[in-house]
Amino acid sequence: MKKYLHLFIYIILSVISTAKVVEYEIDIAYTEVDFTGTPVMAMTLNGSIPGPTLVFTEGNLLRVTFNNKMDVETSIHWHGLLVPNDQDGVPYLNTPPIKAGTSFTYEVPLIQSGAYWYHSHTGLQEQRGVYGSIVIHPKDKKETMTEYVVVLSDWTDESPDQVLRNLKKDGDYYALKKGTVQSWERVVREGRISERLMSSLMRMSPMDLSDVGYDKFLINGQEKISLKNIKEGTPIKLRVINAAASTYFNLSYSKGTMKIVAADGLNVVPVHRDRLLIGVAETYDLIVEARGTFKASAQYGTGDTVLHIGEVQMKKDEEKTSHMMPMETANSEISMMNHDISMNSEGKASSYDFLRAMKSTEYSNDLQEKVVHLKLTSDMERYIWTFNNKALSESDKILIRKGEKVKFILENETMMHHPLHLHGHFFRVLNKHGPNSPLKHTVDVPPMQTVEIEFLANEEKDWVFHCHNLYHMKTGMSRIVSYDSEELPKTLSTKLSSDRKWFYKGDVTGATNYSAINLSSFNTKNILSLSGEASYEGEHDLDVYYSRYVNRNLSLTLGFNFNEEDDEEIDNRGFLGVEYLLPLLIESELKLYDDGDIEVVFSNELQLTNKLQFNWEVDTEEEYVLELEYRYRKWISFTANTHSEYDEGIGVKIRF
């Protein structure tokens, strides 16, 4: 056995040593960019966003040196490439980070062809510009068709770290900017009252179906691109890569249908589509005929970016590609709107039935099968994204053994699409084509649907499986798939995710009848809060408490209440409490005080229009607050209230 192992290693080394080496050198550096009319400091690759397209031929040895010119560490992950574990580019897990002022050279023997991409796996750098494309031509077939790489991305002038802080304060923070506020005025206008009541009864928040309000959507770093000098009717291959941080795009072409010939780098049985949803981190090879306009529209109608191919009548062609659904439709037809979702032979919903592998992808029935059931879960109020209601830092690794056939059952219990990516492997997306189910490295799991994938455990060590919505991954929707050990050191999970990081939020209200303050600092499981109100005669009621988050419906509290009435009677008490989310999204809290008193508080916020909100609170001591709040800006509101203790008043609320 040892003799054969040495022979195998010798053969591999011989192949690598004779492979053609294709080298690139790339500087990662700060560069000022201007996509919106506002100059912003970004992170660029050789001075551009996206970085250069790296072109190879199957069988080459990829050798790319990255020079980190920044004052923070970085990394590069080869998305979709089958690489040695120590070249995968996940810092601290399998590849060292590229420290500030240092360089790192990746070496990967290329055993595949197709369109792929590379990006930072450090912090939120991918959103700031650290990404680029890869094209690997097949070794036994010369490309004769004109081709063009299309890198789609989303851009915000805000710091990505600030974006995450905003989302942690309010999962619906960007709804007003995008024009997607889920108000009761809108629900009534669209005739969705019963649907909204039903979802509220199920404790499903009327949150938006996408997270971030982006300033621009880009193709190859531009809002619009024109490819001229292409003869009408000439076929052209578009290698489309969705390198966005969190945006799905609907793809369309004014000339007619698009012929899909490859998905995630691998050839599929050609199929024509007049529209195609491309998830974050997916790639598709499409063949279209010049001349025409290729449009990528953000999934929920919040913007688009276009590529004109040949001499086209731009305005007319752009109108032809306006296949975006109205926002009303996008918000109401949650599960059935983008892919054609049908049932496969086992009765499971599949949104990839339009894809069929060129040949059988089945694994041997003799292999031992391991089944892993992962529910995609969340708490949008606190912007926590999880598998099985556990963030990365709370979980163990998913242990698999080499030689197994591994099936992941992915059940999405949220109202958002999730693009799930497995490093170092391709997996079968089980669909109606059975043996010819397609192989992919990233799979979209639509809202409230279940998708099954299956892969061969043919690697070693540790690999990441995560949602490729950057903000979902960083707040907990990630796992380590391991061939070695189930234990996940907390120090490692902290480096890979932000789900243990502390955030803060607060608001202060100054009204003519009283003032109020709410402050909290929190991470995934713990909340420290201060909440109180005071009149201008010296009365006050202040709670200081700690909450332990159990799940999106339940938290346990321990705190102290400081209270002084208008007769100067002081009543300071400790308390234990339970916070529970009731149907219709009514928040309830039960407090047991150290003097034996019991108090129950109910509260709710109702979004009446885009900017007008009705807030109410009532307790078992017959105290209540009714408030109308007009959100003038994200950080400032005007209020009018009636308070059982302090009468009526108007005021200003400031959020931070």
Side-chain angles (χ1 to χ4, degrees):
M1 183 67 184
K2 190 174 181 181
K3 174 183 176 183
Y4 290 114
L5 179 61
H6 287 162
L7 179 61
F8 177 75
I9 293 173
Y10 174 77
I11 292 173
I12 293 297
L13 291 175
S14 297
V15 170
I16 293 175
S17 65
T18 58
K20 179 183 178 181
V21 178
V22 178
E23 298 186 71
Y24 289 89
E25 185 166 0
I26 298 174
D27 292 343
I28 308 178
Y30 297 119
T31 306
E32 187 175 85
V33 299
D34 186 350
F35 295 118
T36 66
T38 301
V40 172
M41 194 60 68
M43 297 176 176
T44 61
L45 299 165
N46 281 356
S48 68
I49 296 177
T53 298
L54 308 182
V55 181
F56 306 93
T57 299
E58 182 183 5
N60 289 165
L61 178 67
L62 172 157
R63 181 179 291 160
V64 184
T65 299
F66 289 91
N67 305 310
N68 184 0
K69 305 289 188 178
M70 304 184 296
D71 57 4
V72 295
E73 65 184 41
T74 188
S75 61
I76 293 293
H77 164 61
W78 305 98
H79 189 104
L81 295 193
L82 299 174
V83 301
N85 183 267
D86 63 358
Q87 300 294 294
D88 190 49
V90 179
Y92 300 103
L93 180 69
N94 47 34
T95 311
I98 310 173
K99 297 288 188 180
T102 69
S103 300
F104 187 87
T105 299
Y106 292 87
E107 289 196 354
V108 177
L110 298 176
I111 59 174
Q112 63 201 103
S113 60
Y116 304 94
W117 63 298
Y118 60 99
H119 61 83
S120 172
H121 226 283
T122 299
L124 301 172
Q125 293 178 2
E126 182 186 329
Q127 177 78 89
R128 217 56 182 156
V130 188
Y131 56 87
S133 54
I134 303 169
V135 174
I136 307 173
H137 296 294
K139 61 182 177 182
D140 55 356
K141 181 182 177 183
K142 186 176 181 180
E143 295 283 355
T144 57
M145 188 180 300
T146 300
E147 63 178 49
Y148 186 73
V149 176
V150 175
V151 180
L152 304 174
S153 61
D154 42 29
W155 175 261
T156 172
D157 284 342
E158 283 188 280
S159 157
D161 291 310
Q162 184 60 51
V163 169
L164 181 57
R165 285 193 290 269
N166 291 340
L167 291 170
K168 293 296 288 188
K169 293 176 185 177
D170 178 3
D172 207 24
Y173 186 91
Y174 292 99
L176 186 60
K177 178 178 180 179
K178 295 180 294 180
T180 58
V181 176
Q182 301 295 294
S183 67
W184 274 102
E185 179 273 332
R186 184 176 201 159
V187 168
V188 172
R189 174 164 47 87
E190 296 172 3
R192 296 190 288 116
I193 298 175
S194 59
E195 173 192 319
R196 175 68 170 270
L197 288 174
M198 184 61 67
S199 63
S200 296
L201 283 169
M202 297 170 63
R203 302 185 183 91
M204 297 178 70
S205 173
M207 290 296 180
D208 190 21
L209 306 178
S210 60
D211 295 329
V212 183
Y214 285 103
D215 296 309
K216 290 289 181 181
F217 299 101
L218 306 172
I219 285 181
N220 296 346
Q222 300 179 57
E223 192 172 5
K224 294 182 179 181
I225 294 180
S226 293
L227 296 180
K228 299 181 180 179
N229 301 320
I230 297 179
K231 184 178 179 181
E232 182 172 1
T234 301
I236 180 171
K237 178 186 287 187
L238 303 179
R239 295 188 182 269
V240 185
I241 299 166
N242 187 354
S246 66
T247 302
Y248 279 57
F249 291 96
N250 281 308
L251 309 181
S252 58
Y253 190 59
S254 65
K255 188 73 177 266
T257 61
M258 304 168 289
K259 183 163 73 171
I260 302 170
V261 295
D264 284 358
L266 304 182
N267 291 337
V268 295
V269 174
V271 59
H272 289 268
R273 304 279 286 187
D274 59 8
R275 189 180 66 180
L276 173 67
L277 179 72
I278 182 170
V280 175
E282 289 186 307
T283 75
Y284 285 100
D285 284 5
L286 311 175
I287 295 177
V288 299
E289 287 190 2
R291 68 189 179 192
T293 296
F294 173 81
K295 177 180 281 190
S297 304
Q299 184 182 12
Y300 296 107
T302 53
D304 55 55
T305 180
V306 297
L307 169 68
H308 300 294
I309 302 173
E311 299 290 342
V312 298
Q313 298 176 350
M314 295 184 182
K315 185 174 181 180
K316 185 176 180 181
D317 266 29
E318 286 184 32
E319 289 174 354
K320 288 182 180 179
T321 57
S322 296
H323 297 309
M324 295 184 299
M325 286 177 289
M327 185 58 61
E328 291 82 358
T329 304
N331 286 323
S332 59
E333 299 183 10
I334 292 169
S335 300
M336 308 297 289
M337 58 196 164
N338 290 297
H339 288 318
D340 292 334
I341 298 179
S342 56
M343 307 302 287
N344 66 19
S345 59
E346 297 179 353
K348 298 293 184 181
S350 175
S351 54
Y352 287 97
D353 280 347
F354 66 97
L355 292 181
R356 180 184 177 95
M358 301 288 284
K359 59 184 180 180
S360 175
T361 59
E362 276 191 309
Y363 306 122
S364 170
N365 290 328
D366 295 333
L367 296 176
Q368 178 107 19
E369 183 179 59
K370 180 181 180 71
V371 178
V372 178
H373 195 155
L374 292 174
K375 293 184 178 181
L376 283 57
T377 47
S378 72
D379 179 354
M380 272 292 284
E381 292 287 345
R382 301 180 62 231
Y383 204 77
I384 298 170
W385 298 92
T386 52
F387 287 120
N388 295 340
N389 292 303
K390 289 186 177 181
L392 178 65
S393 64
E394 306 170 87
S395 67
D396 290 325
K397 297 178 182 178
I398 298 174
L399 182 62
I400 61 176
R401 290 181 171 83
K402 194 161 188 173
E404 288 181 329
K405 175 173 59 177
V406 184
K407 177 184 285 187
F408 280 7
I409 301 174
L410 307 168
E411 183 180 352
N412 188 354
E413 295 186 346
T414 79
M415 303 301 285
M416 289 190 68
H417 287 256
H418 295 283
L420 301 183
H421 171 52
L422 176 62
H423 288 216
H425 303 72
F426 274 83
F427 47 72
R428 305 176 69 230
V429 180
L430 303 183
N431 69 3
K432 71 176 184 181
H433 299 297
N436 289 74
S437 292
L439 289 169
K440 297 183 93 273
H441 53 61
T442 305
V443 63
D444 168 46
V445 185
M448 309 306 292
Q449 297 293 330
T450 297
V451 171
E452 295 185 359
I453 64 173
E454 184 180 72
F455 65 93
L456 183 63
N458 58 356
E459 285 291 342
E460 60 179 4
K461 300 182 180 178
D462 293 334
W463 303 89
V464 181
F465 178 70
H466 63 89
C467 179
H468 222 285
N469 180 315
L470 185 60
Y471 301 99
H472 294 182
M473 175 180 69
K474 288 302 179 181
T475 54
M477 192 174 272
S478 184
R479 286 292 185 273
I480 305 301
V481 176
S482 178
Y483 290 81
D484 292 333
S485 167
E486 291 186 18
E487 183 180 356
L488 177 62
K490 297 305 179 188
T491 53
L492 176 58
S493 67
T494 300
K495 293 179 183 297
L496 297 177
S497 176
S498 299
D499 64 83
R500 293 171 66 89
K501 183 178 178 180
W502 285 82
F503 296 86
Y504 70 88
K505 64 179 178 179
D507 63 75
V508 176
T509 299
T512 55
N513 54 336
Y514 80 107
S515 58
I517 185 170
N518 294 284
L519 302 174
S520 63
S521 180
F522 56 94
N523 65 9
T524 303
K525 283 293 185 182
N526 307 287
I527 311 170
L528 297 173
S529 300
L530 181 150
S531 178
E533 56 190 34
S535 73
Y536 301 113
E537 285 76 39
E539 301 169 81
H540 63 263
D541 189 356
L542 178 68
D543 283 345
V544 179
Y545 57 99
Y546 163 78
S547 300
R548 177 68 176 179
Y549 178 87
V550 179
N551 57 48
R552 69 179 299 267
N553 298 327
L554 178 65
S555 295
L556 306 177
T557 63
L558 170 66
F560 208 82
N561 173 257
F562 302 88
N563 185 280
E564 183 175 350
E565 302 293 343
D566 56 3
D567 58 4
E568 297 186 356
E569 179 182 348
I570 297 176
D571 186 13
N572 298 335
R573 302 175 293 176
F575 65 86
L576 295 173
V578 176
E579 297 174 344
Y580 189 71
L581 183 65
L582 297 171
L584 295 177
L585 299 171
I586 296 173
E587 296 179 2
S588 67
E589 182 179 11
L590 183 148
K591 292 181 179 178
L592 175 62
Y593 291 97
D594 58 16
D595 60 5
D597 284 353
I598 296 177
E599 180 185 19
V600 181
V601 182
F602 301 97
S603 62
N604 188 233
E605 299 175 350
L606 297 173
Q607 192 73 43
L608 303 180
T609 69
N610 280 1
K611 291 192 172 186
L612 187 63
Q613 183 172 296
F614 175 59
N615 310 317
W616 62 267
E617 179 178 299
V618 61
D619 63 35
T620 52
E621 295 184 356
E622 299 183 352
E623 296 179 352
Y624 63 85
V625 182
L626 307 177
E627 179 184 72
L628 277 175
E629 177 183 354
Y630 180 79
R631 188 73 69 89
Y632 180 66
R633 294 285 188 268
K634 289 302 299 184
W635 61 277
I636 187 169
S637 299
F638 301 110
T639 65
N641 75 84
T642 178
H643 196 294
S644 59
E645 296 294 310
Y646 310 129
D647 300 322
E648 294 80 31
I650 58 174
V652 176
K653 181 180 292 186
I654 296 176
R655 288 182 169 84
F656 50 88

